[in-house]
Amino acid sequence: MKHILTIVALALLSVTSYAYQPTNEPPVKKMKANVVQHIVLFKFKPETTPEKLKEILAAFEALPSKIKEIKGFQWGTNNSPENHAHGLTHAFILTFDSEKDRDAYLPHPAHKEFGGIVGPWLADVTVVDFTNQGK
């Protein structure tokens, strides 16, 4: 009996070893087709204090809890060594399941309220949206 179990274990090991073929290609996480990425880049006026900046960031971070169409929210400060930021310091990526959801977000009262909070402190803003075309 012990001999049969050893043979079965070796057979299973050889099958699983054969099935796993490591590659040199990095794993690719695919986004759902038609997902909309809403990219927002801010350049703040020089007079924006650290306290005001903290208030603005907290208000932006609160939007996903107020607007159900926002499915993902990421942000960070520029750390690119390429020197092409044109003074833009903060980047935000909001993810929506569709253009319809993004379009519902734009006039949403919570988004409009946030615009009133951040608007007076902005020296520049860039917004780019794209629908995932990846394969």
Side-chain angles (χ1 to χ4, degrees):
M1 179 71 167
K2 217 177 197 185
H3 185 8
I4 292 174
L5 288 176
T6 303
I7 293 171
V8 169
L10 287 173
L12 285 173
L13 183 61
S14 68
V15 168
T16 56
S17 297
Y18 178 75
Y20 176 69
Q21 299 280 331
T23 67
N24 291 333
E25 294 181 32
V28 176
K29 275 191 165 180
K30 295 189 178 187
M31 291 179 69
K32 191 170 91 174
N34 300 322
V35 168
V36 175
Q37 299 288 26
H38 178 70
I39 301 168
V40 180
L41 307 170
F42 288 157
K43 175 181 179 180
F44 290 97
K45 292 178 180 176
E47 61 269 22
T48 307
T49 65
E51 295 78 22
K52 180 51 75 174
L53 187 57
K54 188 174 180 180
E55 176 188 326
I56 291 166
L57 295 173
F60 208 163
E61 287 180 318
L63 289 183
S65 67
K66 298 176 179 181
I67 304 173
K68 67 179 173 63
E69 288 83 5
I70 299 173
K71 301 303 182 196
F73 179 87
Q74 299 172 277
W75 78 271
T77 56
N78 179 44
N79 62 12
S80 175
E82 296 182 285
N83 200 26
H84 296 298
H86 305 285
L88 298 160
T89 58
H90 290 70
F92 304 84
I93 302 173
L94 285 74
T95 303
F96 299 92
D97 281 341
S98 66
E99 289 182 18
K100 180 182 172 193
D101 284 355
R102 186 266 328 267
D103 293 348
Y105 156 80
L106 295 174
H108 193 283
H111 180 235
K112 294 293 188 186
E113 180 183 352
F114 172 70
I117 294 168
V118 71
W121 302 97
L122 291 176
D124 197 7
V125 62
T126 298
V127 178
V128 176
D129 293 357
F130 72 92
T131 302
N132 179 35
Q133 302 295 313
K135 296 179 180 175

